[in-house]
Amino acid sequence: VQGGSIDFDRVIATPDMMGVVGRLGKVLGPKGLMPNPKLGTVTMDVTKAVTDAKSGQVEFRVEKQGIVHAGVGKASFSDAQLEENIRAFVDAILRAKPSGVKGTYVKKTAVSSTMGPGVRVDVSRLPSSPTVAVG
């Protein structure tokens, strides 16, 4: 890893090993792989963290301006798989809404490929409650 050879998608560590993993911060940090307790990648329950990671748990971060970026699929996914992933992502965003927030929580939404143009999504068609109805 120190040489720059990274052939994995996620790093999971226990709190007592963060001293060792911390030395790799210059390599892991810029790639977004540094373990973080907020993301659930620093935990004593490594089995659950690995299971969640393999089951497709999506990590997302929010910028200061309130913009959220997250990967919800790959070009090889079917339309149904992409729709399911997008619905699950929207559900996670709505569940993370703080109770004190008033007004419109999601104002604009767009979906795009990594380097492709964004396609606007009608916000009014997004579910308004944290439970997403598939159909």
Side-chain angles (χ1 to χ4, degrees):
V1 172
Q2 287 176 332
S5 173
I6 298 178
D7 58 348
F8 46 84
D9 296 324
R10 191 160 305 170
V11 178
I12 298 171
T14 57
D16 57 318
M17 291 304 295
M18 281 306 293
V20 175
V21 177
R23 293 184 215 133
L24 304 173
K26 289 183 180 178
V27 178
L28 297 176
K31 296 187 183 300
L33 295 174
M34 193 66 182
N36 183 340
K38 289 182 182 179
L39 300 175
T41 53
V42 177
T43 179
M44 289 304 291
D45 191 359
V46 176
T47 306
K48 181 181 182 311
V50 170
T51 304
D52 289 346
K54 285 186 175 183
S55 67
Q57 178 186 34
V58 175
E59 291 181 358
F60 58 91
R61 294 190 178 108
V62 181
E63 293 180 6
K64 289 180 185 178
Q65 298 82 12
I67 300 170
V68 179
H69 300 274
V72 293
K74 298 186 182 281
S76 62
F77 284 15
S78 70
D79 290 350
Q81 289 173 315
L82 287 172
E83 181 180 356
E84 180 183 347
N85 287 354
I86 291 169
R87 287 181 183 274
F89 176 67
V90 170
D91 185 38
I93 294 291
L94 294 176
R95 271 191 271 118
K97 176 182 176 180
S99 59
V101 173
K102 292 184 169 62
T104 306
Y105 190 60
V106 178
K107 293 183 180 179
K108 297 179 190 176
T109 306
V111 178
S112 71
S113 62
T114 302
M115 296 300 288
V119 177
R120 297 292 297 268
V121 176
D122 185 6
V123 177
S124 65
R125 298 199 59 198
L126 293 175
S128 58
S129 68
T131 55
V132 177
V134 178

